[in-house]
């Protein structure tokens, strides 16, 4: 076997992997020192100065301290990545090194010679039936490092002639020397071990070579973009290591057990070296996910900050908005349980620790929601309002209120409609429902008390996602109650289908919220047909009476009249409780408990806006609805004000 420059089988045999892990420990210590230094700068120095001094010089000093803190943060992150890469390298090299040493031990015990090139010399053996002499020895090399690949390899006979491998499909000739097959096995194992070692070494070398700081370090957006690229490189290099070490394909309960049995040192290693993995792993403690995702947030801001497309700028606005809220602090404390740039963006934010709360609610937003400035400034506030409302209802209990944007909610662009990813289709909800259930399973597995009061909340299209999640086998893990607001349907015929008991399904539907009155498929079809027919007739009549202007006017009026007529014709033949996504949750036939909400403004009164669809969580606009939601979340559903079903 011809080895690549640098790593020979002799060097690999003698390599002390403990030296790699010792080096990783050194980087671990450097990372911990930088982290501790940053905390001192932020707290003991910058924080104290801010609280005790109010002058221009003090403010200038605080700015310099923030720059120093950013430098320590950068050092902590990069040294953590080096540490993770070295630990991964040492771990992955362990298996091929053991195989190499086993192969060398077998060669020695059999009396074979292992050459510098990796070929194996074997002695004469067996007996020639004609001459009585032993069959000559020879030399073999490994077969591409792939054991059992069908290639018996190459070997030299006693005269030094190299026998070629047989043509594909041709049976290999069996050597009369019994040593030949044994030597080939040893050579194959050695070649396989070295091929694997070279692949591992190249993978990690590429990642480690990226971990370099530019001279005259300035920690800015481009610096963090580079760090984000470094983190991706290390994660890609260590993917095999991660798959073997982390329970990526396990249940949240199994991940909890894995995390709980790690030492604090191991946890710190994973958090600093692989924050993108740990931060989004259901079953990991909320505090650990928050720590990892704050790191992820900084890296994502850096990566998106150097891009100039509209989608990146939009997402960057959302990420910076979340970062500002995290830096503001306040009560209840904010936990970042998930963050990512997949699709339209991912963000899971909790007000209050779900691992220790008595009441936990997880709200799924709907149509038009994505990780942008509106999400950070508006959607997130709905979770905060629910948390504050629940605390007002019951100050003796702790509440964690979560907004879960763990899926791609449908958007309103023509492109989404054309691709089948609009609000008219169930694709996004079907994709999001299993992920929502996995998240909720993590909440149940991780809770320290073991039995919190859990409420699943779906708004708008998010109620379809929650409804489909509830209809999966076993329902939504841990859910005691389900709240549906502004719902176009859940895909269920009856509240009983949602697996919490129909008395635990609560519905809020404003009279002027048109989303809660979407037509069913037959009505929509009649409306479209009527509009086309009416528009055509109006166009012709208008043209005959007043020329082109009359045609345009007549066509518009005809389409409107025809659409209404078509809708009414189909409506008279269908169940009025049937909506686009199944039975109207606010209808009597659905069987849920409808709670009182404000009627809201009509679209005409609202000048084309749909505020009646957006005010359910907002106590300033709909105190009745916000109070009822808070009471259900706090476990006080007997106190809500009821409204007659439709």
């Amino acid at each position: 076997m011809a080895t690549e420059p640098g790593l020979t089988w002799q060097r690999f045999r003698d390599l002390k992997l403990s030296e790699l892990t010792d080096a990783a420990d050194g980087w671990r210590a450097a990372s911990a020192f930088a982290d501790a230094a940053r905390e001192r700068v932020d707290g003991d120095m910058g924080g104290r100065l801010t609280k005790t001094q109010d002058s221009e010089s003090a403010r200038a000093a605080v700015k310099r301290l923030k720059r120093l803190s950013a430098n320590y943060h950068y050092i902590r992150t990069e040294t953590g990545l080096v540490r993770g890469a070295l630990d991964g390298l040492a771990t992955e090299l362990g298996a091929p090194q053991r195989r190499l040493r086993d192969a060398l031990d077998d060669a020695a015990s059999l009396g074979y010679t292992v050459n510098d090139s990796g070929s194996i010399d074997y002695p004469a053996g067996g007996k020639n039936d004609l001459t009585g002499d032993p069959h000559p020895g020879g030399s073999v090399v490994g077969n591409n490092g792939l054991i059992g690949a069908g290639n018996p390899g190459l070997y030299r006979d006693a005269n030094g002639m190299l026998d070629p491998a047989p043509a594909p499909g041709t049976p290999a000739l069996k050597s009369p020397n019994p040593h030949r097959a044994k030597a080939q096995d040893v050579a194959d194992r050695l070649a396989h071990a070295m091929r694997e070692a070279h692949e591992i070494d190249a993978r990690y070398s590429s990642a480690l070579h990226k971990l370099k700081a530019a001279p005259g370090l300035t920690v800015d957006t481009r610096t963090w973009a580079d760090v984000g690229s470094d983190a991706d490189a290390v994660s890609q290099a260590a993917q095999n290591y991660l798959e073997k070490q982390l329970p990526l394909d396990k249940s949240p309960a199994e991940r909890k057990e894995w995390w709980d049995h790690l030492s604090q040192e191991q946890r710190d290693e994973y958090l600093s070296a692989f924050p993108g993995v740990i931060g989004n792993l259901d079953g990991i403690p909320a505090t650990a996910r928050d720590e990892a995702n704050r790191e992820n947030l900084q890296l994502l801001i850096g990566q998106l900050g150097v891009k100039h497309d509209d989608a990146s700028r939009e997402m960057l606005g959302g990420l910076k908005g979340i970062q500002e809220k995290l830096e503001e602090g306040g009560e209840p404390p904010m936990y970042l349980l998930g963050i990512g740039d997949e699709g339209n963006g991912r963000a899971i934010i909790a007000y209050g620790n779900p691992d220790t709360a008595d009441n936990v609610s997880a709200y799924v937003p709907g149509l038009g929601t994505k990780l942008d400035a509106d999400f950070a400034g508006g959607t997130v506030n709905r979770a905060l309002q629910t948390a504050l409302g629940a605390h007002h209802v019951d100050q003796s209990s702790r509440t964690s209120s979560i907004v879960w944007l763990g899926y791609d909610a449908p958007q309103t662009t023509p492109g989404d409609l054309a691709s089948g990813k609009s609000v008219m289709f169930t694709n996004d909800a079907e994709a999001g429902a299993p992920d929502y259930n996995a998240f909720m399973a993590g909440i149940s597995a991780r809770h320290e008390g073991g039995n919190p009061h859990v409420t699943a909340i779906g708004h708008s299209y998010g109620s379809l996602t929650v409804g489909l999640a509830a209809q999966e086998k076993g329902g939504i893990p841990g859910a005691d109650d389900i709240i549906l607001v502004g719902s176009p349907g859940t895909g269920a015929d009856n509240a009983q289908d949602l697996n919490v008991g129909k008395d635990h399904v609560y519905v809020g539907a404003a009279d002027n919220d048109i989303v809660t009155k979407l037509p069913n498929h037959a009505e929509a079809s009649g409306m479209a047909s009527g509009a086309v027919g009416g528009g055509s007739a109006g166009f012709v009549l208008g043209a005959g009476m007043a020329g082109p202007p009359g045609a345009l006017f007549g066509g518009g009026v005809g389409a409107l009249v025809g659409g209404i007529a078509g809708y009414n014709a189909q409506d008279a033949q269908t169940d009025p409780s049937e909506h686009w996504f199944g039975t109207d949750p606010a209808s009597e036939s659905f069987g849920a408990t409808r709670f009182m909400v404000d009627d809201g403004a009509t679209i005409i009164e609202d000048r084309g806006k749909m505020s009646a669809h957006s005010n359910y969580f907002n106590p300033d606009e709909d105190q009745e609805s916000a109070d009822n939601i808070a009471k259900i979340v706090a476990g006080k559903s007997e106190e809500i004000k009821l409204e007659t079903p439709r």
Side-chain angles (χ1 to χ4, degrees):
M1 171 185 164
T3 59
E4 298 174 21
L7 186 63
T8 65
W9 67 260
Q10 296 95 330
R11 291 186 63 188
F12 188 40
R13 175 198 61 194
D14 298 333
L15 178 65
K16 295 180 181 179
L17 298 182
S18 60
E19 293 181 352
L20 289 176
T21 55
D22 288 345
D25 288 340
W27 288 102
R28 178 183 293 111
S31 182
F33 175 83
D35 196 37
R38 182 179 66 147
E39 289 184 0
R40 286 196 298 272
V41 169
D42 289 342
D44 296 343
M45 300 171 69
R48 184 170 299 177
L49 189 60
T50 300
K51 292 177 181 178
T52 59
Q53 302 291 325
D54 184 16
S55 64
E56 186 173 336
S57 59
R59 286 188 287 273
V62 169
K63 287 183 179 180
R64 290 193 292 272
L65 288 172
K66 285 184 177 180
R67 288 196 295 271
L68 179 60
S69 174
N71 287 340
Y72 279 129
H73 187 186
Y74 172 81
I75 294 169
R76 182 253 189 188
T77 303
E78 289 283 74
T79 53
L81 292 174
V82 175
R83 178 186 73 182
L86 290 174
D87 275 332
L89 175 61
T91 300
E92 286 201 55
L93 286 176
Q97 187 183 65
R98 286 191 296 272
R99 286 194 288 272
L100 173 72
R101 289 175 174 175
D102 288 345
L104 294 173
D105 288 344
D106 287 347
S109 67
L110 292 167
Y112 302 160
T113 299
V114 181
N115 299 309
D116 289 348
S117 66
S119 63
I120 306 291
D121 294 343
Y122 61 90
K127 184 178 181 181
N128 189 312
D129 292 338
L130 296 177
T131 65
D133 296 329
H135 294 289
S139 180
V140 295
V141 296
N143 65 353
N144 300 322
L146 300 175
I147 298 175
N151 180 354
L154 307 175
Y155 70 95
R156 297 179 186 276
D157 60 20
N159 297 317
M161 298 300 293
L162 185 66
D163 287 354
T170 304
L173 296 176
K174 184 176 181 181
S175 171
N177 186 336
H179 287 296
R180 196 274 181 190
K182 295 178 181 178
Q184 185 65 61
D185 174 66
V186 172
D188 287 346
R189 288 157 54 200
L190 189 151
H192 178 68
M194 289 305 299
R195 173 62 63 88
E196 188 176 359
H198 283 304
E199 186 277 325
I200 293 169
D201 181 58
R203 192 159 22 95
Y204 280 96
S205 293
S206 176
L208 286 166
H209 285 157
K210 289 178 63 65
L211 301 176
K212 297 178 181 178
L217 174 64
T218 298
V219 179
D220 55 15
T221 298
R222 290 190 175 276
T223 304
W224 284 113
D226 183 63
V227 176
S229 177
D230 293 346
D232 288 342
V234 172
S235 293
Q236 291 171 10
Q239 189 60 41
N240 293 340
Y241 164 73
L242 290 173
E243 289 177 354
K244 292 178 181 178
Q245 300 296 317
L246 275 65
L248 301 180
D249 59 347
K250 301 296 183 180
S251 70
E254 290 171 313
R255 293 170 184 164
K256 174 190 180 299
E257 291 300 314
W258 166 78
W259 182 266
D260 289 348
H261 285 87
L262 294 177
S263 66
Q264 188 58 51
E265 187 177 88
Q266 290 172 315
R267 294 173 187 169
D268 291 341
E269 172 194 332
Y270 289 126
L271 282 169
S272 62
F274 309 107
V277 178
I278 298 300
N280 294 288
L281 205 58
D282 297 321
I284 302 302
T287 51
R289 292 182 70 165
D290 178 64
E291 179 181 346
N293 283 318
R294 289 177 188 244
E295 193 74 28
N296 294 339
L297 180 64
Q298 181 66 65
L299 298 181
L300 286 171
I301 287 174
Q303 289 175 307
L304 292 175
V306 296
K307 297 181 179 180
H308 305 293
D309 58 286
D310 291 341
S312 296
R313 282 194 290 267
E314 272 195 339
M315 197 174 295
L316 183 62
L319 294 171
K320 287 185 174 180
I322 291 172
Q323 186 178 56
E324 290 173 5
K325 287 180 177 292
L326 289 168
E327 291 174 350
E328 288 171 3
E331 287 293 330
M334 191 174 173
Y335 294 83
L336 189 57
L337 303 182
I339 199 72
D341 60 355
E342 302 94 328
N344 293 322
R346 302 287 186 267
I348 307 173
I349 296 169
Y351 283 97
N353 188 342
D355 295 347
T356 58
D358 302 298
N359 308 300
V360 179
S361 68
Y363 144 59
V364 182
L367 174 65
T369 308
K370 56 184 174 181
L371 183 53
D372 58 9
D374 287 340
F375 175 82
T379 307
V380 171
N381 285 337
R382 294 174 182 171
L384 175 59
Q385 288 159 349
T386 298
L388 295 174
H391 177 70
H392 178 74
V393 170
D394 185 0
Q395 298 185 17
S396 65
S397 64
R398 296 165 296 179
T399 295
S400 175
S401 177
I402 303 167
V403 54
W404 185 87
L405 184 61
Y407 81 126
D408 277 332
Q411 303 300 304
T412 56
T413 65
D416 288 305
L417 182 61
S419 65
K421 288 178 62 62
S422 80
V423 72
M424 308 303 289
F425 301 95
T426 62
N427 310 50
D428 292 323
E430 290 170 352
D435 292 335
Y436 180 71
N437 277 348
F439 174 76
M440 297 300 279
I443 295 294
S444 294
R446 195 70 253 175
H447 195 270
E448 295 178 10
N451 189 30
H453 173 253
V454 176
T455 305
I457 306 176
H459 173 236
S460 186
Y461 187 90
S463 67
L464 176 61
T465 305
V466 169
L468 294 180
Q471 291 173 78
E472 289 193 346
K473 185 178 180 180
I476 298 172
D480 298 291
D481 296 310
I482 292 176
I483 299 176
L484 309 168
V485 288
S487 176
T490 63
D493 295 326
N494 192 279
Q496 193 65 40
D497 298 336
L498 303 186
N499 284 304
V500 291
K502 67 177 185 178
D503 292 338
H504 290 272
V505 179
Y506 301 90
V507 177
D511 280 347
N512 291 319
D513 180 356
I514 62 170
V515 174
T516 70
K517 297 181 178 181
L518 287 179
N520 58 44
H521 291 266
E523 292 167 341
S525 177
M527 187 186 303
S529 298
V532 171
S536 299
F539 184 89
V540 172
L541 291 173
M545 296 176 64
L552 294 175
F553 179 77
V557 173
L560 178 61
V561 173
I564 294 173
Y567 171 83
N568 289 335
Q570 289 295 332
D571 184 52
Q573 303 177 47
T574 58
D575 185 342
S577 68
E578 288 304 306
H579 281 186
W580 189 262
F581 293 124
T583 305
D584 175 9
S587 69
E588 185 175 4
S589 59
F590 190 73
T593 300
R594 186 182 182 191
F595 57 84
M596 191 171 290
V597 303
D598 187 84
D599 289 344
T602 66
I603 289 184
I604 295 176
E605 293 170 341
D606 214 16
R607 296 184 179 181
K609 298 179 181 178
M610 294 174 56
S611 61
H613 183 62
S614 306
N615 290 336
Y616 293 102
F617 301 89
N618 189 343
D620 293 331
E621 300 294 337
D622 191 346
Q623 185 72 58
E624 200 79 73
S625 177
D627 285 349
N628 285 326
I629 291 172
K631 288 172 182 176
I632 297 168
V633 168
K636 304 286 186 181
S637 57
E638 71 278 1
E639 298 180 8
I640 66 173
K641 294 182 179 180
L642 303 180
E643 190 161 349
T644 304
R646 290 173 177 164

